[in-house]
Amino acid sequence: MTLELYQRVVLNIDQPQHNLKKGDIGTLIDTVPHPTGGEDGYILEIFNAKGESVSVITLPQSQVEPLPDNAI
């Protein structure tokens, strides 16, 4: 699955080290190749309900999926 830059995405696994939970929403701001050939990653910007940026994180691609059309 290929995601596009600035696409809204959802976390599919808890990220306790970042204080985030499965289902939290972010914006994909860049892609990162793995330095030794492992799984590539995404850089995400996470916003609170007011639209304020609260975190920028890097995750493996498998831990992110597109925001579903029926998300609330």
Side-chain angles (χ1 to χ4, degrees):
M1 157 185 54
T2 302
L3 300 176
E4 296 181 23
L5 290 181
Y6 310 112
Q7 178 178 351
R8 295 186 71 193
V9 296
V10 63
L11 306 180
N12 62 19
I13 189 170
D14 288 345
Q15 300 293 327
Q17 71 276 25
H18 299 294
N19 231 8
L20 299 169
K21 296 187 184 260
K22 178 180 178 177
D24 285 347
I25 296 171
T27 300
L28 190 151
I29 59 173
D30 208 352
T31 58
V32 182
H34 193 281
T36 60
E39 182 179 3
D40 292 337
Y42 290 132
I43 299 175
L44 307 178
E45 186 167 9
I46 308 298
F47 298 90
N48 65 16
K50 293 180 176 181
E52 301 165 332
S53 179
V54 295
S55 186
V56 175
I57 62 172
T58 303
L59 296 175
Q61 290 180 352
S62 63
Q63 295 182 10
V64 176
E65 44 189 66
L67 186 65
D69 291 336
N70 63 349
I72 297 175

